Amino acid sequence: MKKHGKIKIVLLAIVGLFAIYNLVWVLTVWNTYRGFTEGMEELTPYRRYVIDERDGYTYNVKIPDYLSFTGNLGLQPYEGGDCALIIWPGIFEETTYGAFVSDANGMGQGVMLTADGMPEEDAPEQIKQLVAENRESLDMLFEKAREQWDY
């Protein structure tokens, strides 16, 4: 009987820890992402939200999947455009920024950025040049993101 009692205690501990993790996940994710979705159309219940077009831009929010803490905010020109901004709000770490930027040949390049829209310090010169060439578009995306989500 003692062996069954220990197994029961271990199983209850595992179930309890899983329940606590779920509670932390729900509270953390919804407290972080709830404000980002205000006024947005829900595409997938409790997961994806979008504003198709406002001021010439498309805004979207991807809430983290179940038990994940990684979601994102996205912003791009509604039609055309050579840049798109993606923001990974920090829940337990600092917020991360990135962009997809088109080069002169129309090829997209993923770029990690700092909070002020500059390429990361260790970025290759080619990336720094690409960001410099698209400075105006990136600045506008950061401005729109600050207006929409206070980022």
Side-chain angles (χ1 to χ4, degrees):
M1 285 301 253
K2 284 187 176 187
K3 187 174 187 177
H4 291 295
K6 287 181 181 181
I7 291 173
K8 190 184 254 185
I9 289 172
V10 168
L11 288 175
L12 285 173
I14 290 170
V15 168
L17 289 172
F18 184 69
I20 291 169
Y21 185 84
N22 273 271
L23 182 62
V24 167
W25 178 82
V26 167
L27 294 174
T28 304
V29 166
W30 284 107
N31 282 335
T32 301
Y33 282 83
R34 171 179 50 186
F36 297 144
T37 62
E38 288 178 22
M40 299 183 90
E41 177 186 346
E42 186 175 54
L43 291 181
T44 306
Y46 308 109
R47 287 193 151 171
R48 297 181 198 274
Y49 297 81
V50 69
I51 296 176
D52 249 353
E53 193 275 326
R54 178 180 11 186
D55 300 332
Y57 291 87
T58 298
Y59 301 80
N60 63 49
V61 174
K62 166 61 176 75
I63 293 176
D65 291 327
Y66 178 60
L67 299 184
S68 169
F69 290 97
T70 305
N72 63 64
L73 313 174
L75 174 60
Q76 65 189 29
Y78 183 66
E79 290 184 13
D82 48 5
C83 296
L85 179 64
I86 188 166
I87 303 168
W88 294 274
I91 293 179
F92 299 115
E93 53 197 37
E94 77 179 56
T95 297
T96 307
Y97 300 85
F100 289 101
V101 183
S102 295
D103 63 17
N105 299 324
M107 298 294 295
Q109 177 74 42
V111 178
M112 297 305 296
L113 302 170
T114 63
D116 59 356
M118 300 303 291
E120 291 184 331
E121 197 172 300
D122 60 348
E125 282 305 314
Q126 174 188 356
I127 296 295
K128 290 178 181 178
Q129 180 63 33
L130 191 57
V131 169
E133 290 169 5
N134 290 279
R135 177 83 276 141
E136 188 176 316
S137 296
L138 288 169
D139 286 346
M140 181 58 72
L141 290 172
F142 270 87
E143 182 180 322
K144 294 290 184 183
R146 280 189 284 280
E147 290 172 9
Q148 177 69 27
W149 298 301
D150 197 25
Y151 260 97

